[in-house]
Each structure stands twice: as structure tokens, then as C-alpha cells.
Amino acid sequence: MQPLVQFRDVTLGYDRHPAVHHLNGEVAPGALLAVVGPNGAGKSTLFRGLVGILKPLSGSVLTGGIDPKDIAYLPQTADIDRSFPISVFDFVGTGLWRQTGFFGGIGKGAREKIGRALGSVGLSGFENRGIGTLSGGQMQRVLFARVLLQDARLIVLDEPFNAIDAKTSADLLALVRQWHAEGRTVLAALHDMELVRAHFPETLLLARGKVAWGATSEVLTADNLAEARRMCEAFDDHAVACVAEEDSSKAA
Ligand SMILES: Nc1ncnc2c1ncn2[C@@H]1O[C@H](COP(=O)(O)OP(=O)(O)OP(=O)(O)O)[C@@H](O)[C@H]1O
């Protein structure tokens, strides 16, 4: 089966300082993949590279055949400016931008879709609330409603269950399982190893580079987790891109 995503010796970083180093690997269509690793391991950076927000310093991320509108991305809530004055309804409606266009009006059909998405995450009646007035768990539900609306083939979730209560986690996890059952490809950055072991068949353990990638039970061993911690601690944040990368960028 043709992979949906291919990481080809990809290095991603900021101001030419690599954060994810020389990653190789493939994601099959329909995969339910957890991306785990210590704080600063590069999970968010990898996702920014995957969804096209961050251009690789070297190597490539191939999402063969997927149109950008077929990728839904749920960033960490910390990355969202909640002081922006926008209602829950309009925020969730931005999930339709790629279908309607930036200036496309929201017609009756779209209004119904937004209403249904909010109902699916238990937020009917919240339409007119400003996003800045929501609790952390409610905001996370709003982000899931926006992903629902995007109806995407590839769904990328950055720490979707962080700092939310058990009921909200369970409700949102049910949506993830539904997306997987529908044949969508789902990648999620997670810290809760028990949740990963229970619900995610495949795991990438990242520590700036790949420590292990495969069946979750084989990846999440004590030895691999210790190796990931060691690699993260040893990584030099101020290192510049490799000499080979420097040379190729000069030649480009
Ligand atoms: N916008 C940025 N500008 C510069 N450096 C960044 C930026 N975002 C992340 N980094 C750095 O890149 C490295 C990887 O960070 P990243 O956020 O990808 O890790 P993470 O695995 O998602 O961490 P966490 O589990 O804490 O969310 C860290 O050293 C971080 O300081």
C-alpha cells in the first residue's frame, strides 16, 4: 500500500537550529499513530513540518496525493490567541474556509454543519460566546468541532487531551476512534502513555530524532523511554544544521 506520508531524511528547526533531526519513516493510510517523547522532543515541530507551516531545513515531507484542504490540524491551545474577538460559531466556521474560500459567505447548509459539529462535541448553545470566555476543556471541544467540520483525510492533533478532565478526554477520544474507524489517518502528540498503550496501535517515539517507530507495545519499552530522555538531555539546542545541510543549502 502506498504511504500517505513520507518523512525523507527530514530536518526541521528554527533559525537554522535543528529541532527534529534526520527523520525517516512512513505513515500508512488509515493509521492511528501516537507521537510521544519528552518535553522539547520535537513533536510540535514535526507536526508544523507535516502540515506545511514550517519548511524543512533539509530533506522532505511528502504527502503524496493529499490536497492541503484534506489536512486538519489541531494546534496546542497555547498556540492560539484567545484574546482575538471571535465567536465560537465563527471560529468553528473557519473549518470551512478551504471549502468556501476566505470571503465565501456562510449559507444555510454551512450553518447547519457548524451547528451539528458543535452538537457532536456537546457545545450546542455556545454559538455566540467569545472564544476568550471558554474554559480550557470547552476550547478543546471547539477545536475538535472545527476539525470535524474540515472532514479531512489526514488529521494531526497536537496534545489534544492536555489539561482537560476525564469526561472531556473520553468524549474527544471517542471522536478520534470514530475518525480512525472511518478510515481517516490520525496522528496525535501525546504524553499519557497509558492512553497510548490502550488506544493507539502504532507509536513514534521521538527525541529530536527517531528512537523507535512501530507497534506501540514494542516501542514503549523502559529501555526506549530511557534512551529518549537521554537523547533529549544530550541534544544541543544551539547546534547549527549539519555540514552536509549547510553545503546543500549553499549550492541551492
Ligand atoms: N517557534 C519556535 N522558535 C524557536 N524554537 C522553537 C520554536 N518552537 C519550538 N522551538 C524549540 O524546538 C525544540 C522542540 O520543541 P517542540 O515544541 O517541537 O517540542 P515538543 O516535543 O512538542 O515539546 P512539548 O512536549 O514540551 O510540547 C525545543 O528546543 C523548542 O525550544
Side-chain angles (χ1 to χ4, degrees), residues 14 19 37-45 48 76 159 191 208 237:
Y14 307 92
N39 288 134
K43 304 179 291 296
S44 298
T45 303
R48 289 182 196 127
Q76 283 192 30
E159 304 203 11
H191 281 289
R208 303 307 190 111
D237 249 331

Side-chain angles (χ1 to χ4, degrees), residues 241-249:
C242 299
V243 173
E245 291 159 18
E246 290 283 353
D247 287 349
S248 66
S249 73

